[in-house]
Amino acid sequence: MASLGKGRIEAFSDGVIAIIITIMVLELKVPHETHFADLLPVLPVLLSYVLSFVYVGIYWNNHHHLFHATRGVNGAIMWANLHLLFWLSLIPFVTHWMGENFRASAPVASYGFVLLMAAIAYQFLASLLARHDGTNSVIAKALGKDRKGNLSVLLYCAGIALSFVNFGAALSVYVGVAVLWFIPDRRVERALAEVQAVQPNGNGL
Amino acid sequence: MASLGKGRIEAFSDGVIAIIITIMVLELKVPHETHFADLLPVLPVLLSYVLSFVYVGIYWNNHHHLFHATRGVNGAIMWANLHLLFWLSLIPFVTHWMGENFRASAPVASYGFVLLMAAIAYQFLASLLARHDGTNSVIAKALGKDRKGNLSVLLYCAGIALSFVNFGAALSVYVGVAVLWFIPDRRVERALAEVQAVQPNGNGL
Amino acid sequence: MASLGKGRIEAFSDGVIAIIITIMVLELKVPHETHFADLLPVLPVLLSYVLSFVYVGIYWNNHHHLFHATRGVNGAIMWANLHLLFWLSLIPFVTHWMGENFRASAPVASYGFVLLMAAIAYQFLASLLARHDGTNSVIAKALGKDRKGNLSVLLYCAGIALSFVNFGAALSVYVGVAVLWFIPDRRVERALAEVQAVQPNGNGL
Amino acid sequence: MASLGKGRIEAFSDGVIAIIITIMVLELKVPHETHFADLLPVLPVLLSYVLSFVYVGIYWNNHHHLFHATRGVNGAIMWANLHLLFWLSLIPFVTHWMGENFRASAPVASYGFVLLMAAIAYQFLASLLARHDGTNSVIAKALGKDRKGNLSVLLYCAGIALSFVNFGAALSVYVGVAVLWFIPDRRVERALAEVQAVQPNGNGL
């Protein structure tokens, strides 16, 4: 097996995702005044920070599950992973723009666009991992027909379209997709549990 | 056991906490002048940085002990952990606001509020870990009735209330809770030592 | 063998590279206006971010492969590694300067200069690792005559020279070198695979 | 042995040190103009960045060696480690102040003061580690009478005093101490090598 270990790609991804999720808090500008009312202008930025925190948390969670079920990585997987990290790294930028202008089409649509590209990058990474492990592998079986992933892509497109009509509806769609993914990917957990039942010393961490 | 390994959740938390603790130093604005007296306006920000550094250090310390005694994690634990990290990530924001306005009620109360929410998030995470490991587990026994945690929650509430009366008293309460937690959680260490005495090849790192 | 383990030098390098690759996104200034056209001034900075993201990704990839094939490190290797990280840490600075002034000679030449110094630092690190492992080691054989590395150094020099004549040509050279390195170093992967075929319990991760 | 594993304290320290060493580059303000001459005002900040990069690199190197020779940690060691990280976290602040005002006493003296406190914190951490491992341990023997550490403390004091007389002399002292420490701590490496020669399956990583 010429494939490389997965430990370092996990550690690097954890580092990048940890920085992305924490860097967003730098966008929260401390008010110059000292009353609670002075926090009001910060509120929309804080709320979009919360939404993005949940999204980046979801990606970390799913990334964790995805690589937990994986046996090894190759060069293509490394680049697919960096591609995913690239789109995730743009989340602080669009979060800030949307947080300061959540009633405007362009920022809300841009936020959805970055989420859309990250979702596509994740699906691509997952498919490469499934191919690398073989069609009979845990991950290939677990992913199967990725209905939740496909649905998310459709919903992001709907959200982007809605942002030109009604920003509230667009934001609701983004929140809805986050709720959809809030629960980590049971398919992978279930398939792993099955495999471990058959082969007790499977590829557990 | 379908539970996931705890290694990556520890690594991710370490990353986020390391960034939070270091990012606060970016709030220390370098004076434009070049005399020691020009450092005076920086002093309150530096002192609130010290307090927050100790607090984040305490959380890292206790987080380390908590997961050291844990056998595995599940999806709910991951989200409870992210919830704790979310409140910790707001510490740089309230530290900066309080550092620049430590005589005003709202910033001092906000600082206490974020500490309160982080404490509640930590208690919730610990209770999930205890439930996951089973009521006879090391961690469940060690936590038992979490008197120090409950006392902290009460003291934060008192600190928030005091911030509307006397900012010095409120700050003293925050410093007091930090002193209370300065010593890492002996309960976990003691329970671990007992278990390791009985089962020599226990769940040591 | 008095050499130190390589685990911590990998972890530290991963941390620094993860921060470098993510910190660049802070340079993307959120527009004050809310139309798509307001993103246009951000576009050159975004494009130079993409190029630097790919470059830092290439360095991480190659760093991963380099240390994967290595058995241990010593003090000199640690400093050669820090020297590489130093030049990589200047990439966000020159990326930002070039992104805002990609039609000017000095920023485009400075960008090439930092890439050149990083390439030389990488070659020096690789040669130290090969010497440490011995001339018959996997890494020494794999690197052999480092033609791709030498070609890159020449191309960076050409790019720097071109930046005083035609910035488009200089940028094309920088993009060209990135494409050249996009595929991870097959030599190391191939040599590792050969060794693992002979010694099945080789130095896999 | 009730002591905790050292893996996570190393990972956390690596994270904090990686952020400190990289965050300093954010102080390098990109010039608004586009000539090489516009880099001149950045030069002193860049040079103080180089000096601090070397210093933080030295601390990481020595920290690596120190914990490599260590068997376990306890609560006091964790706090001594956080205390060291606190002083290291102030290096970006004093680096920036000195970089912009390297001809003024207060910034140059402040830089030396933070280095002095970091050196004292390191000595304290090393003594706790030696006590924890026992007087016959590798680390206790290796450290012995810490002459280089004591000399550094004296030199930092001299540098601080000199900064009120001649900033060039003070800077030379700081550079001199860095050169003194540039070579990693041979004492620990030598003692480790001796122990590993006696006990072949010693505490290698």
Side-chain angles (χ1 to χ4, degrees):
Chain A
M1 188 175 66
S3 73
L4 296 163
K6 64 178 181 173
R8 240 189 120 179
I9 203 174
E10 286 183 325
F12 182 72
S13 306
D14 281 357
V16 171
I17 297 174
I19 298 159
I20 291 170
I21 213 170
T22 324
I23 244 174
M24 284 187 288
V25 92
L26 292 175
E27 312 293 2
L28 296 177
K29 296 300 168 214
V30 170
H32 290 295
E33 300 303 312
T34 61
H35 297 91
F36 285 113
D38 302 313
L39 288 176
L40 278 181
V42 183
L43 205 64
V45 184
L46 181 64
L47 287 178
S48 62
Y49 172 52
V50 172
L51 181 60
S52 296
F53 192 97
V54 170
Y55 261 114
V56 178
I58 286 165
Y59 271 103
W60 179 72
N61 249 338
N62 288 344
H63 195 274
H64 183 131
H65 281 73
L66 194 62
F67 276 84
H68 185 62
T70 303
R71 261 176 280 158
V73 297
N74 58 22
I77 289 168
M78 282 202 185
W79 278 107
N81 190 57
L82 277 168
H83 179 238
L84 170 62
L85 295 178
F86 172 76
W87 288 109
L88 294 181
S89 82
L90 292 184
I91 288 183
F93 175 75
V94 287
T95 300
H96 191 189
W97 203 29
M98 186 176 78
E100 294 197 338
N101 310 280
F102 65 95
R103 283 195 184 85
S105 303
V108 177
S110 301
Y111 188 81
F113 177 72
V114 169
L115 290 182
L116 173 67
M117 295 308 291
I120 292 171
Y122 184 82
Q123 284 196 308
F124 184 62
L125 172 64
S127 72
L128 280 188
L129 281 164
R131 202 181 307 160
H132 182 259
D133 274 15
T135 43
N136 284 319
S137 65
V138 178
I139 192 161
K141 280 182 187 159
L143 290 174
K145 279 164 53 192
D146 185 6
R147 274 179 298 192
K148 200 155 80 169
N150 293 335
L151 178 59
S152 304
V153 166
L154 282 180
L155 286 171
Y156 290 136
C157 292
I160 295 169
L162 279 170
S163 66
F164 296 99
V165 185
N166 185 317
F167 71 87
L171 286 173
S172 305
V173 170
Y174 301 156
V175 171
V177 180
V179 170
L180 191 70
W181 282 97
F182 190 76
I183 297 143
D185 210 321
R186 296 285 173 199
R187 289 169 303 171
V188 175
E189 253 178 291
R190 211 179 310 123
L192 260 174
E194 278 169 26
V195 167
Q196 286 176 340
V198 180
Q199 311 168 306
N201 39 10
N203 62 342
L205 207 61
Chain B
M1 188 175 66
S3 74
L4 296 163
K6 63 178 182 173
R8 242 190 117 178
I9 203 174
E10 286 184 324
F12 182 72
S13 307
D14 281 357
V16 172
I17 297 174
I19 298 160
I20 291 170
I21 213 170
T22 324
I23 242 173
M24 284 187 288
V25 92
L26 292 175
E27 312 293 2
L28 296 176
K29 296 298 168 216
V30 170
H32 290 296
E33 300 303 312
T34 61
H35 297 91
F36 285 114
D38 301 314
L39 288 176
L40 278 181
V42 183
L43 205 64
V45 184
L46 181 63
L47 287 178
S48 62
Y49 172 53
V50 172
L51 182 59
S52 296
F53 192 97
V54 170
Y55 261 114
V56 179
I58 286 165
Y59 272 103
W60 179 73
N61 247 339
N62 288 343
H63 195 274
H64 183 130
H65 280 74
L66 194 63
F67 276 84
H68 185 62
T70 303
R71 261 176 281 158
V73 296
N74 57 23
I77 289 168
M78 282 201 187
W79 278 108
N81 190 58
L82 277 168
H83 179 237
L84 170 62
L85 295 178
F86 173 76
W87 288 107
L88 294 181
S89 82
L90 292 184
I91 288 183
F93 176 75
V94 288
T95 300
H96 191 190
W97 203 29
M98 185 175 79
E100 294 197 338
N101 310 281
F102 65 96
R103 285 194 182 84
S105 304
V108 177
S110 301
Y111 188 81
F113 176 72
V114 168
L115 290 181
L116 174 66
M117 296 309 291
I120 292 170
Y122 183 82
Q123 285 196 307
F124 182 63
L125 172 64
S127 72
L128 279 188
L129 281 164
R131 202 181 307 160
H132 182 258
D133 273 15
T135 45
N136 284 320
S137 65
V138 179
I139 193 161
K141 281 182 185 159
L143 290 173
K145 279 164 52 193
D146 185 7
R147 274 177 299 191
K148 201 156 80 168
N150 294 335
L151 179 59
S152 305
V153 166
L154 282 179
L155 286 172
Y156 290 135
C157 292
I160 295 169
L162 279 170
S163 67
F164 296 98
V165 185
N166 185 317
F167 70 87
L171 286 174
S172 306
V173 170
Y174 300 156
V175 172
V177 179
V179 170
L180 191 71
W181 281 99
F182 190 75
I183 297 143
D185 210 323
R186 295 287 173 197
R187 289 169 304 173
V188 174
E189 253 178 289
R190 211 180 310 123
L192 259 175
E194 278 170 25
V195 167
Q196 286 176 339
V198 180
Q199 312 167 306
N201 38 10
N203 61 343
L205 207 60
Chain C
M1 186 175 68
S3 75
L4 296 163
K6 63 178 181 172
R8 238 189 119 178
I9 203 174
E10 287 183 324
F12 182 72
S13 307
D14 281 356
V16 171
I17 297 175
I19 298 160
I20 291 170
I21 213 171
T22 324
I23 243 173
M24 283 187 288
V25 92
L26 292 174
E27 313 292 4
L28 296 177
K29 296 298 169 215
V30 170
H32 290 296
E33 300 302 313
T34 60
H35 296 91
F36 285 114
D38 301 312
L39 288 175
L40 278 181
V42 183
L43 204 63
V45 184
L46 181 64
L47 286 178
S48 62
Y49 173 53
V50 172
L51 182 60
S52 296
F53 193 97
V54 170
Y55 261 114
V56 178
I58 286 165
Y59 272 103
W60 179 72
N61 248 340
N62 288 343
H63 195 274
H64 183 131
H65 280 74
L66 195 61
F67 275 84
H68 185 62
T70 302
R71 261 176 282 159
V73 297
N74 58 22
I77 288 168
M78 283 202 185
W79 278 107
N81 189 58
L82 277 168
H83 179 238
L84 170 61
L85 294 179
F86 172 75
W87 288 108
L88 294 181
S89 81
L90 293 183
I91 287 183
F93 176 74
V94 288
T95 300
H96 190 188
W97 203 28
M98 186 176 77
E100 295 196 339
N101 310 280
F102 64 96
R103 283 196 183 84
S105 303
V108 177
S110 301
Y111 188 82
F113 176 72
V114 169
L115 290 182
L116 173 66
M117 295 309 290
I120 292 171
Y122 184 83
Q123 285 197 306
F124 183 62
L125 172 64
S127 73
L128 279 188
L129 281 164
R131 202 182 306 160
H132 182 259
D133 274 15
T135 45
N136 284 321
S137 64
V138 178
I139 192 162
K141 281 182 185 158
L143 290 174
K145 280 165 51 195
D146 184 6
R147 274 179 298 192
K148 201 156 80 169
N150 293 335
L151 179 59
S152 305
V153 166
L154 282 179
L155 286 172
Y156 289 136
C157 292
I160 295 169
L162 279 171
S163 66
F164 296 99
V165 186
N166 184 317
F167 70 87
L171 286 174
S172 305
V173 171
Y174 301 156
V175 171
V177 180
V179 170
L180 191 68
W181 281 98
F182 190 75
I183 297 143
D185 209 323
R186 296 285 173 199
R187 287 169 304 172
V188 174
E189 251 178 294
R190 210 180 309 123
L192 260 174
E194 278 170 24
V195 167
Q196 286 176 339
V198 180
Q199 311 168 305
N201 38 9
N203 62 343
L205 206 61
Chain D
M1 187 176 67
S3 74
L4 296 164
K6 63 178 181 173
R8 240 189 118 178
I9 202 174
E10 286 183 324
F12 182 72
S13 307
D14 282 356
V16 171
I17 297 174
I19 297 160
I20 291 170
I21 214 171
T22 323
I23 243 173
M24 285 187 288
V25 93
L26 292 175
E27 312 292 4
L28 296 177
K29 295 299 168 216
V30 170
H32 291 296
E33 300 302 313
T34 61
H35 297 92
F36 285 114
D38 302 312
L39 287 176
L40 279 181
V42 183
L43 204 64
V45 184
L46 181 63
L47 287 177
S48 62
Y49 172 53
V50 172
L51 182 60
S52 295
F53 192 97
V54 171
Y55 261 114
V56 178
I58 286 166
Y59 272 103
W60 179 73
N61 248 337
N62 288 343
H63 194 274
H64 183 131
H65 280 73
L66 195 63
F67 275 84
H68 185 62
T70 303
R71 262 176 281 158
V73 297
N74 57 23
I77 289 169
M78 282 200 185
W79 278 107
N81 189 58
L82 277 168
H83 178 236
L84 170 61
L85 294 179
F86 173 75
W87 288 108
L88 294 181
S89 82
L90 293 184
I91 287 183
F93 175 74
V94 288
T95 300
H96 191 189
W97 202 29
M98 185 176 80
E100 294 196 338
N101 310 281
F102 64 96
R103 284 195 183 84
S105 303
V108 177
S110 301
Y111 188 82
F113 177 73
V114 169
L115 290 181
L116 174 66
M117 295 309 291
I120 292 171
Y122 183 83
Q123 285 196 306
F124 183 63
L125 172 65
S127 73
L128 279 188
L129 282 164
R131 201 182 308 160
H132 181 259
D133 274 15
T135 45
N136 285 319
S137 65
V138 178
I139 193 163
K141 280 181 186 160
L143 291 173
K145 281 164 51 193
D146 184 7
R147 274 179 299 192
K148 202 156 80 169
N150 293 335
L151 179 60
S152 304
V153 167
L154 282 178
L155 287 172
Y156 289 135
C157 292
I160 294 169
L162 279 170
S163 66
F164 297 98
V165 185
N166 185 316
F167 71 87
L171 286 174
S172 305
V173 171
Y174 301 156
V175 172
V177 180
V179 170
L180 191 71
W181 282 99
F182 189 76
I183 297 143
D185 209 324
R186 295 286 174 199
R187 289 169 303 173
V188 174
E189 251 177 293
R190 210 181 308 123
L192 259 175
E194 279 169 25
V195 168
Q196 286 176 339
V198 180
Q199 311 168 306
N201 38 11
N203 61 343
L205 206 61

